[in-house]
Coordinates of all heavy atoms in Angstrom, one line a residue:
M1 N 35.3 13.9 50.6 CA 34.9 14.8 51.5 C 35.2 16.2 51.0 O 36.2 16.5 50.4 CB 35.6 14.6 52.9 CG 35.2 15.6 53.9 SD 36.0 15.3 55.5 CE 36.0 13.6 55.8
H2 N 34.2 17.1 51.1 CA 34.4 18.5 50.6 C 35.6 19.2 51.4 O 35.8 18.9 52.6 CB 33.2 19.3 50.8 CG 32.0 18.9 50.0 ND1 32.2 18.3 48.7 CD2 30.7 18.8 50.3 CE1 31.0 18.0 48.3 NE2 30.1 18.3 49.2
S3 N 36.3 20.0 50.7 CA 37.5 20.7 51.3 C 37.1 21.6 52.5 O 37.8 21.7 53.4 CB 38.2 21.4 50.3 OG 37.5 22.5 49.7
S4 N 35.9 22.2 52.4 CA 35.5 23.0 53.6 C 35.2 22.2 54.8 O 35.6 22.6 55.9 CB 34.3 23.9 53.2 OG 33.2 23.1 52.8
L5 N 34.6 21.1 54.6 CA 34.3 20.2 55.8 C 35.6 19.6 56.3 O 35.8 19.5 57.5 CB 33.3 19.1 55.4 CG 32.9 18.1 56.5 CD1 32.3 18.9 57.6 CD2 32.0 17.1 55.9
K6 N 36.5 19.3 55.4 CA 37.8 18.8 55.9 C 38.5 19.8 56.6 O 39.2 19.5 57.7 CB 38.6 18.3 54.6 CG 39.9 17.7 55.0 CD 40.6 17.2 53.7 CE 42.0 16.6 54.1 NZ 42.7 16.2 52.9
R7 N 38.5 21.1 56.2 CA 39.1 22.2 56.9 C 38.6 22.3 58.3 O 39.3 22.6 59.2 CB 39.0 23.5 56.1 CG 39.7 24.6 56.7 CD 39.6 25.8 55.8 NE 40.5 25.5 54.6 CZ 41.1 26.4 53.9 NH1 40.9 27.7 54.2 NH2 41.8 26.0 52.9
I8 N 37.3 22.2 58.4 CA 36.6 22.4 59.7 C 37.1 21.3 60.6 O 37.4 21.5 61.8 CB 35.1 22.4 59.6 CG1 34.6 23.7 58.9 CG2 34.4 22.3 60.9 CD1 33.2 23.7 58.4
L9 N 37.1 20.0 60.1 CA 37.5 18.9 61.0 C 38.9 19.0 61.4 O 39.3 18.6 62.5 CB 37.2 17.6 60.2 CG 35.7 17.3 60.0 CD1 35.6 16.0 59.2 CD2 35.0 17.1 61.3
V10 N 39.8 19.4 60.5 CA 41.2 19.6 60.8 C 41.3 20.7 61.9 O 42.1 20.5 62.9 CB 42.0 19.9 59.6 CG1 43.4 20.4 60.0 CG2 42.1 18.7 58.7
G11 N 40.6 21.8 61.8 CA 40.6 22.8 62.7 C 40.1 22.4 64.1 O 40.7 22.7 65.1
V12 N 39.0 21.6 64.1 CA 38.5 21.2 65.4 C 39.5 20.2 66.0 O 39.7 20.2 67.3 CB 37.1 20.5 65.2 CG1 36.6 19.7 66.4 CG2 36.1 21.5 64.8
S13 N 40.1 19.4 65.2 CA 41.1 18.4 65.8 C 42.3 19.2 66.4 O 42.7 18.9 67.5 CB 41.6 17.5 64.7 OG 40.6 16.7 64.2
F14 N 42.8 20.2 65.7 CA 43.9 21.0 66.2 C 43.5 21.8 67.4 O 44.3 21.9 68.4 CB 44.4 21.9 65.1 CG 45.6 22.7 65.5 CD1 46.8 22.1 65.7 CD2 45.6 24.1 65.6 CE1 47.9 22.8 66.1 CE2 46.7 24.8 66.0 CZ 47.9 24.1 66.2
F15 N 42.3 22.3 67.5 CA 41.8 23.0 68.6 C 41.7 22.1 69.8 O 42.1 22.4 70.9 CB 40.4 23.6 68.3 CG 39.8 24.5 69.4 CD1 40.4 25.7 69.7 CD2 38.8 24.0 70.2 CE1 39.9 26.5 70.7 CE2 38.2 24.8 71.2 CZ 38.8 26.1 71.4
S16 N 41.2 20.9 69.6 CA 41.1 19.9 70.7 C 42.5 19.5 71.2 O 42.7 19.4 72.4 CB 40.3 18.6 70.2 OG 39.0 18.9 69.8
L17 N 43.4 19.3 70.3 CA 44.8 19.0 70.7 C 45.4 20.1 71.4 O 46.1 19.9 72.4 CB 45.6 18.7 69.4 CG 47.0 18.3 69.7 CD1 47.1 17.0 70.4 CD2 47.8 18.2 68.3
T18 N 45.1 21.3 71.0 CA 45.7 22.5 71.7 C 45.2 22.6 73.1 O 45.9 22.8 74.1 CB 45.3 23.8 71.0 OG1 45.8 23.8 69.7 CG2 45.7 25.1 71.7
I19 N 43.9 22.4 73.3 CA 43.3 22.4 74.7 C 43.9 21.3 75.5 O 44.3 21.5 76.7 CB 41.8 22.3 74.6 CG1 41.2 23.6 74.1 CG2 41.2 22.0 76.0 CD1 39.7 23.6 73.8
T20 N 44.0 20.1 75.0 CA 44.5 19.0 75.7 C 46.0 19.2 76.2 O 46.3 19.0 77.3 CB 44.4 17.7 74.9 OG1 43.1 17.5 74.5 CG2 44.9 16.5 75.7
V21 N 46.8 19.6 75.2 CA 48.2 19.8 75.5 C 48.4 21.0 76.5 O 49.2 20.9 77.4 CB 49.0 20.1 74.2 CG1 50.4 20.6 74.5 CG2 49.1 18.9 73.4
A22 N 47.6 22.1 76.3 CA 47.7 23.2 77.2 C 47.3 22.8 78.7 O 47.9 23.2 79.6 CB 46.8 24.3 76.7
V23 N 46.2 22.1 78.8 CA 45.7 21.7 80.1 C 46.8 20.8 80.8 O 47.2 21.0 82.0 CB 44.4 20.9 80.1 CG1 44.1 20.2 81.4 CG2 43.3 21.9 79.7
L24 N 47.4 19.8 80.0 CA 48.4 19.0 80.5 C 49.7 19.8 80.9 O 50.3 19.5 81.9 CB 48.8 17.9 79.5 CG 47.7 16.8 79.3 CD1 48.1 15.9 78.2 CD2 47.5 16.0 80.6
G25 N 50.0 20.8 80.1 CA 51.1 21.6 80.4 C 51.0 22.4 81.7 O 51.9 22.5 82.5
Y26 N 49.8 23.0 81.9 CA 49.6 23.7 83.2 C 49.6 22.7 84.4 O 50.0 23.0 85.5 CB 48.3 24.5 83.2 CG 48.4 25.7 82.3 CD1 47.6 25.9 81.2 CD2 49.3 26.7 82.6 CE1 47.8 27.1 80.4 CE2 49.4 27.9 81.9 CZ 48.7 28.0 80.8 OH 48.8 29.2 80.0
M27 N 49.0 21.5 84.1 CA 49.0 20.5 85.2 C 50.5 20.1 85.6 O 50.8 19.9 86.7 CB 48.2 19.3 84.8 CG 46.7 19.6 84.8 SD 45.6 18.3 84.4 CE 45.8 17.2 85.8
L28 N 51.3 20.0 84.5 CA 52.7 19.6 84.8 C 53.4 20.8 85.6 O 54.4 20.5 86.3 CB 53.5 19.4 83.5 CG 53.1 18.0 82.8 CD1 53.8 18.0 81.5 CD2 53.6 16.9 83.7
A29 N 52.9 22.0 85.4 CA 53.5 23.1 86.2 C 52.9 23.2 87.6 O 53.3 24.1 88.4 CB 53.1 24.4 85.5
G30 N 52.1 22.2 88.0 CA 51.6 22.1 89.4 C 50.2 22.6 89.6 O 49.8 22.7 90.8
W31 N 49.5 22.9 88.6 CA 48.1 23.4 88.7 C 47.2 22.2 88.7 O 47.4 21.2 88.2 CB 47.7 24.3 87.6 CG 48.6 25.5 87.4 CD1 49.8 25.7 87.9 CD2 48.2 26.7 86.8 NE1 50.3 27.0 87.5 CE2 49.3 27.6 86.9 CE3 47.1 27.2 86.1 CZ2 49.2 28.9 86.3 CZ3 47.0 28.4 85.6 CH2 48.1 29.3 85.7
D32 N 46.0 22.4 89.4 CA 45.0 21.3 89.4 C 44.2 21.4 88.1 O 44.3 22.3 87.3 CB 44.1 21.3 90.6 CG 43.2 22.5 90.7 OD1 42.9 23.1 89.7 OD2 42.9 22.9 91.9
L33 N 43.4 20.3 87.8 CA 42.7 20.2 86.5 C 41.8 21.4 86.3 O 41.8 22.0 85.2 CB 41.9 18.9 86.5 CG 41.0 18.7 85.3 CD1 41.9 18.5 84.0 CD2 40.1 17.4 85.5
M34 N 41.0 21.8 87.2 CA 40.0 22.9 87.0 C 40.7 24.2 86.8 O 40.3 25.0 85.9 CB 39.0 23.0 88.1 CG 37.9 21.9 88.1 SD 37.1 21.7 86.5 CE 36.3 23.3 86.4
D35 N 41.7 24.5 87.5 CA 42.5 25.8 87.3 C 43.1 25.7 85.9 O 43.2 26.8 85.2 CB 43.6 25.9 88.4 CG 43.0 26.4 89.7 OD1 41.8 26.8 89.7 OD2 43.8 26.4 90.7
S36 N 43.7 24.6 85.5 CA 44.3 24.5 84.2 C 43.3 24.7 83.1 O 43.6 25.4 82.1 CB 45.0 23.1 84.1 OG 45.9 22.9 85.0
L37 N 42.2 24.0 83.2 CA 41.2 24.1 82.1 C 40.6 25.6 82.1 O 40.5 26.1 81.0 CB 40.0 23.2 82.4 CG 38.9 23.1 81.4 CD1 39.5 22.7 80.0 CD2 37.9 22.1 81.8
Y38 N 40.4 26.2 83.2 CA 39.9 27.5 83.3 C 40.9 28.5 82.7 O 40.5 29.4 81.9 CB 39.6 27.9 84.7 CG 39.0 29.3 84.9 CD1 37.7 29.6 84.5 CD2 39.7 30.3 85.4 CE1 37.1 30.8 84.6 CE2 39.2 31.6 85.6 CZ 37.9 31.8 85.2 OH 37.4 33.1 85.3
M39 N 42.2 28.3 83.0 CA 43.2 29.2 82.4 C 43.3 29.0 80.9 O 43.4 30.0 80.2 CB 44.6 28.8 83.0 CG 45.7 29.6 82.5 SD 45.6 31.3 83.0 CE 47.1 32.0 82.3
V40 N 43.2 27.8 80.4 CA 43.2 27.6 78.9 C 42.0 28.3 78.3 O 42.2 29.0 77.3 CB 43.2 26.1 78.6 CG1 43.0 25.9 77.1 CG2 44.5 25.5 79.1
V41 N 40.8 28.2 78.8 CA 39.7 28.8 78.2 C 39.8 30.3 78.2 O 39.5 31.0 77.2 CB 38.4 28.3 78.9 CG1 37.2 29.2 78.5 CG2 38.1 26.9 78.7
I42 N 40.2 30.9 79.3 CA 40.2 32.4 79.4 C 41.4 32.9 78.5 O 41.4 34.0 78.1 CB 40.3 33.0 80.8 CG1 41.5 32.5 81.6 CG2 39.0 32.6 81.6 CD1 41.7 33.3 82.9
T43 N 42.4 32.1 78.4 CA 43.6 32.5 77.6 C 43.2 32.4 76.1 O 43.5 33.4 75.3 CB 44.8 31.5 77.8 OG1 45.1 31.7 79.2 CG2 46.0 31.9 77.0
I44 N 42.6 31.3 75.6 CA 42.3 31.2 74.2 C 41.3 32.2 73.7 O 41.4 32.8 72.7 CB 41.9 29.8 73.9 CG1 43.1 28.8 74.0 CG2 41.3 29.7 72.5 CD1 42.8 27.4 73.8
F45 N 40.3 32.4 74.6 CA 39.2 33.2 74.1 C 39.4 34.7 74.6 O 38.5 35.5 74.3 CB 37.8 32.7 74.6 CG 37.5 31.4 73.9 CD1 37.6 30.2 74.6 CD2 37.0 31.4 72.6 CE1 37.3 29.0 73.9 CE2 36.7 30.3 72.0 CZ 36.8 29.1 72.6
G46 N 40.5 35.0 75.2 CA 40.8 36.4 75.5 C 39.8 37.1 76.3 O 39.5 38.3 76.1
V47 N 39.3 36.5 77.3 CA 38.3 37.1 78.2 C 38.9 38.2 79.0 O 38.2 39.2 79.2 CB 37.7 36.0 79.1 CG1 36.6 36.6 80.0 CG2 37.1 34.8 78.3
G48 N 40.1 38.2 79.4 CA 40.7 39.3 80.1 C 40.6 39.2 81.6 O 40.7 40.3 82.2
F49 N 40.3 38.1 82.1 CA 40.2 38.0 83.6 C 41.5 38.0 84.3 O 41.6 38.0 85.5 CB 39.4 36.7 84.0 CG 37.9 36.8 83.6 CD1 37.2 35.7 83.2 CD2 37.2 38.0 83.8 CE1 35.9 35.8 82.9 CE2 35.9 38.1 83.5 CZ 35.2 37.0 83.1
G50 N 42.6 37.8 83.6 CA 43.9 37.7 84.2 C 44.2 36.2 84.5 O 43.4 35.3 84.2
E51 N 45.4 36.0 85.1 CA 45.8 34.6 85.3 C 45.1 34.0 86.5 O 44.8 34.8 87.5 CB 47.3 34.5 85.5 CG 48.1 34.8 84.3 CD 48.4 36.2 84.0 OE1 48.3 37.0 84.9 OE2 48.7 36.5 82.8
V52 N 44.9 32.7 86.5 CA 44.4 32.0 87.7 C 45.4 32.0 88.8 O 45.0 32.3 90.0 CB 44.0 30.6 87.3 CG1 43.5 29.8 88.5 CG2 43.0 30.6 86.2
R53 N 46.6 31.8 88.4 CA 47.7 31.8 89.4 C 48.8 32.7 88.7 O 48.9 32.8 87.5 CB 48.3 30.4 89.6 CG 47.4 29.5 90.3 CD 48.1 28.2 90.5 NE 47.2 27.2 91.2 CZ 47.6 26.0 91.5 NH1 48.9 25.7 91.3 NH2 46.8 25.2 92.1
P54 N 49.7 33.3 89.5 CA 50.8 34.1 88.9 C 51.6 33.2 88.0 O 52.0 32.1 88.3 CB 51.6 34.5 90.1 CG 50.6 34.4 91.3 CD 49.7 33.3 91.0
I55 N 52.0 33.8 86.9 CA 52.9 33.1 85.9 C 54.2 33.8 86.1 O 54.4 34.9 85.6 CB 52.3 33.2 84.5 CG1 51.0 32.5 84.4 CG2 53.3 32.6 83.5 CD1 50.4 32.6 83.0
T56 N 55.1 33.1 86.8 CA 56.3 33.8 87.2 C 57.5 33.3 86.4 O 58.5 34.0 86.3 CB 56.6 33.5 88.7 OG1 56.6 32.1 89.0 CG2 55.5 34.2 89.6
T57 N 57.5 32.1 85.9 CA 58.7 31.6 85.2 C 58.6 32.0 83.7 O 57.5 32.0 83.1 CB 58.8 30.1 85.3 OG1 57.7 29.5 84.7 CG2 58.8 29.7 86.8
P58 N 59.7 32.2 83.1 CA 59.8 32.5 81.6 C 59.2 31.4 80.8 O 58.5 31.6 79.8 CB 61.2 32.8 81.3 CG 61.8 33.2 82.6 CD 61.1 32.5 83.7
A59 N 59.5 30.1 81.2 CA 59.0 29.0 80.5 C 57.5 28.9 80.4 O 56.9 28.7 79.4 CB 59.5 27.7 81.1
L60 N 56.8 29.2 81.6 CA 55.4 29.2 81.6 C 54.8 30.4 80.8 O 53.7 30.3 80.2 CB 54.9 29.3 83.1 CG 53.5 28.8 83.3 CD1 53.2 27.4 82.8 CD2 53.2 28.8 84.8
R61 N 55.5 31.5 80.8 CA 55.0 32.7 80.0 C 55.1 32.3 78.5 O 54.2 32.6 77.7 CB 55.9 33.9 80.3 CG 55.6 34.5 81.6 CD 56.4 35.7 81.8 NE 56.0 36.3 83.2 CZ 56.6 37.3 83.7 NH1 57.5 38.0 83.0 NH2 56.2 37.7 84.9
I62 N 56.2 31.7 78.1 CA 56.3 31.3 76.7 C 55.3 30.3 76.3 O 54.6 30.3 75.3 CB 57.7 30.8 76.4 CG1 58.7 31.9 76.5 CG2 57.8 30.1 75.1 CD1 60.2 31.5 76.5
F63 N 55.0 29.3 77.3 CA 54.0 28.3 77.0 C 52.6 29.0 76.9 O 51.9 28.6 76.0 CB 54.0 27.3 78.2 CG 52.9 26.2 78.1 CD1 53.1 25.2 77.2 CD2 51.8 26.3 78.8 CE1 52.1 24.2 77.1 CE2 50.8 25.3 78.7 CZ 51.0 24.3 77.8
T64 N 52.3 29.9 77.7 CA 51.0 30.6 77.6 C 50.9 31.4 76.3 O 49.9 31.4 75.6 CB 50.9 31.6 78.8 OG1 51.0 30.8 80.0 CG2 49.5 32.3 78.7
M65 N 52.0 32.0 75.8 CA 52.0 32.7 74.5 C 51.7 31.7 73.4 O 51.0 32.0 72.4 CB 53.3 33.4 74.3 CG 53.4 34.7 75.2 SD 54.9 35.6 74.7 CE 56.2 34.7 75.5
L66 N 52.3 30.5 73.5 CA 52.1 29.5 72.5 C 50.7 29.0 72.5 O 50.1 28.7 71.4 CB 53.1 28.3 72.6 CG 54.6 28.6 72.4 CD1 55.5 27.4 72.7 CD2 54.8 29.0 70.9
V67 N 50.1 28.9 73.7 CA 48.7 28.5 73.8 C 47.8 29.5 73.1 O 46.9 29.2 72.3 CB 48.3 28.3 75.3 CG1 46.8 28.2 75.4 CG2 49.0 27.1 75.9
I68 N 48.1 30.8 73.3 CA 47.3 31.9 72.6 C 47.4 31.7 71.1 O 46.4 31.8 70.4 CB 47.8 33.2 73.1 CG1 47.5 33.4 74.6 CG2 47.2 34.4 72.3 CD1 48.2 34.6 75.2
V69 N 48.6 31.6 70.6 CA 48.8 31.5 69.2 C 48.1 30.3 68.6 O 47.4 30.4 67.6 CB 50.3 31.6 68.8 CG1 50.6 31.2 67.4 CG2 50.9 32.9 69.2
A70 N 48.3 29.1 69.2 CA 47.7 27.9 68.7 C 46.2 28.0 68.8 O 45.5 27.5 67.9 CB 48.3 26.7 69.5
G71 N 45.7 28.5 69.9 CA 44.2 28.6 70.0 C 43.6 29.5 69.0 O 42.6 29.2 68.3
Y72 N 44.2 30.7 68.8 CA 43.6 31.6 67.8 C 43.8 31.1 66.4 O 42.9 31.3 65.5 CB 44.3 33.0 67.9 CG 43.6 33.9 68.9 CD1 44.2 34.1 70.2 CD2 42.4 34.5 68.6 CE1 43.6 34.9 71.1 CE2 41.8 35.3 69.6 CZ 42.4 35.5 70.8 OH 41.8 36.3 71.7
T73 N 44.9 30.4 66.1 CA 45.1 29.9 64.8 C 44.1 28.8 64.5 O 43.5 28.8 63.4 CB 46.6 29.3 64.7 OG1 47.5 30.3 64.9 CG2 46.8 28.7 63.3
S74 N 43.8 27.9 65.4 CA 42.9 26.8 65.2 C 41.4 27.4 65.1 O 40.7 26.9 64.2 CB 42.9 25.8 66.3 OG 42.7 26.3 67.5
V75 N 41.1 28.4 65.9 CA 39.7 29.0 65.7 C 39.6 29.7 64.4 O 38.6 29.6 63.7 CB 39.5 30.0 66.9 CG1 38.2 30.8 66.6 CG2 39.3 29.2 68.2
G76 N 40.7 30.4 64.0 CA 40.6 31.0 62.6 C 40.5 30.0 61.5 O 39.8 30.3 60.5
Y77 N 41.2 28.9 61.6 CA 41.1 27.8 60.6 C 39.7 27.3 60.5 O 39.2 27.0 59.5 CB 42.1 26.8 60.9 CG 42.5 25.9 59.8 CD1 43.3 26.4 58.8 CD2 42.0 24.6 59.6 CE1 43.7 25.6 57.7 CE2 42.3 23.8 58.6 CZ 43.2 24.3 57.6 OH 43.5 23.5 56.5
I78 N 39.1 27.1 61.7 CA 37.7 26.6 61.7 C 36.7 27.6 61.1 O 35.9 27.2 60.2 CB 37.2 26.3 63.2 CG1 38.0 25.1 63.8 CG2 35.7 26.0 63.2 CD1 37.9 24.9 65.2
L79 N 36.9 28.8 61.4 CA 36.1 29.9 60.8 C 36.3 30.0 59.3 O 35.3 30.2 58.6 CB 36.3 31.2 61.5 CG 35.8 31.3 62.9 CD1 36.3 32.7 63.5 CD2 34.3 31.1 63.0
S80 N 37.5 29.8 58.9 CA 37.7 29.9 57.4 C 37.0 28.7 56.7 O 36.6 28.9 55.6 CB 39.2 29.9 57.1 OG 39.8 28.6 57.4
G81 N 37.0 27.6 57.4 CA 36.2 26.4 56.8 C 34.7 26.8 56.7 O 34.1 26.4 55.6
F82 N 34.2 27.4 57.7 CA 32.8 27.8 57.6 C 32.5 28.8 56.5 O 31.6 28.7 55.8 CB 32.3 28.3 59.0 CG 31.9 27.2 60.0 CD1 32.6 27.1 61.1 CD2 30.9 26.3 59.7 CE1 32.3 26.1 62.1 CE2 30.6 25.4 60.6 CZ 31.3 25.2 61.8
L83 N 33.4 29.8 56.4 CA 33.3 30.8 55.4 C 33.4 30.2 54.0 O 32.6 30.5 53.1 CB 34.3 31.9 55.6 CG 34.0 32.9 56.6 CD1 35.3 33.8 56.8 CD2 32.8 33.7 56.2
Q84 N 34.3 29.2 53.8 CA 34.5 28.5 52.6 C 33.2 27.8 52.2 O 32.7 27.8 51.1 CB 35.7 27.6 52.6 CG 35.9 26.9 51.3 CD 37.1 25.9 51.4 OE1 37.8 25.9 52.4 NE2 37.3 25.1 50.4
M85 N 32.6 27.1 53.3 CA 31.4 26.4 53.1 C 30.2 27.3 52.6 O 29.4 27.0 51.7 CB 31.0 25.6 54.3 CG 29.9 24.6 54.2 SD 29.5 23.8 55.8 CE 30.9 22.8 56.0
I86 N 30.1 28.5 53.2 CA 29.1 29.4 52.9 C 29.2 29.9 51.5 O 28.3 30.0 50.7 CB 29.0 30.5 54.0 CG1 28.5 30.0 55.3 CG2 28.2 31.7 53.5 CD1 28.7 31.0 56.4
T87 N 30.5 30.3 51.2 CA 30.7 30.9 49.8 C 30.6 29.9 48.7 O 30.2 30.3 47.6 CB 32.1 31.6 49.8 OG1 33.1 30.6 50.1 CG2 32.1 32.8 50.7
E88 N 30.8 28.6 49.0 CA 30.7 27.6 48.0 C 29.2 27.2 47.8 O 28.9 26.5 46.8 CB 31.5 26.4 48.3 CG 33.0 26.6 48.2 CD 33.8 25.4 48.6 OE1 33.3 24.5 49.2 OE2 35.0 25.4 48.3
G89 N 28.4 27.5 48.7 CA 27.0 27.2 48.7 C 26.8 25.9 49.3 O 26.0 25.0 49.1

């Protein structure tokens, strides 16, 4: 398998894992499925709508920061695979 395609697949896998773990984390904090999923999407993509529910505990704030870092890292990794694919022809 080409390294660029492998990079894309690894990035997509990490992105999917990030979304799954983040949704489960918010659900463990007492949120329902749709609120959790919506929060993950607006957090990772930086839409700027604010929180779905108030994030009052330090643990949930740290968790949200980790979701942001993991989400942006995986999206960047996927984009780097696409760029590598384009530059290699």
Side-chain angles (χ1 to χ4, degrees):
M1 182 181 314
H2 296 324
S3 63
S4 58
L5 182 58
K6 184 177 179 183
R7 181 174 293 207
I8 292 168
L9 292 176
V10 168
V12 168
S13 298
F14 185 64
F15 184 72
S16 299
L17 180 67
T18 299
I19 290 175
T20 303
V21 169
V23 168
L24 290 174
Y26 286 118
M27 289 179 73
L28 287 173
W31 299 24
D32 64 30
L33 177 64
M34 284 309 295
D35 282 348
S36 299
L37 185 59
Y38 183 72
M39 180 66 179
V40 171
V41 170
I42 65 172
T43 298
I44 290 176
F45 291 103
V47 180
F49 289 142
E51 288 88 18
V52 175
R53 295 183 182 183
I55 297 178
T56 55
T57 65
L60 200 53
R61 287 182 181 180
I62 291 169
F63 179 74
T64 302
M65 288 187 283
L66 292 174
V67 170
I68 293 167
V69 170
Y72 275 102
T73 301
S74 59
V75 168
Y77 200 76
I78 293 168
L79 291 175
S80 71
F82 279 118
L83 281 172
Q84 181 181 356
M85 188 181 290
I86 290 169
T87 57
E88 288 176 348

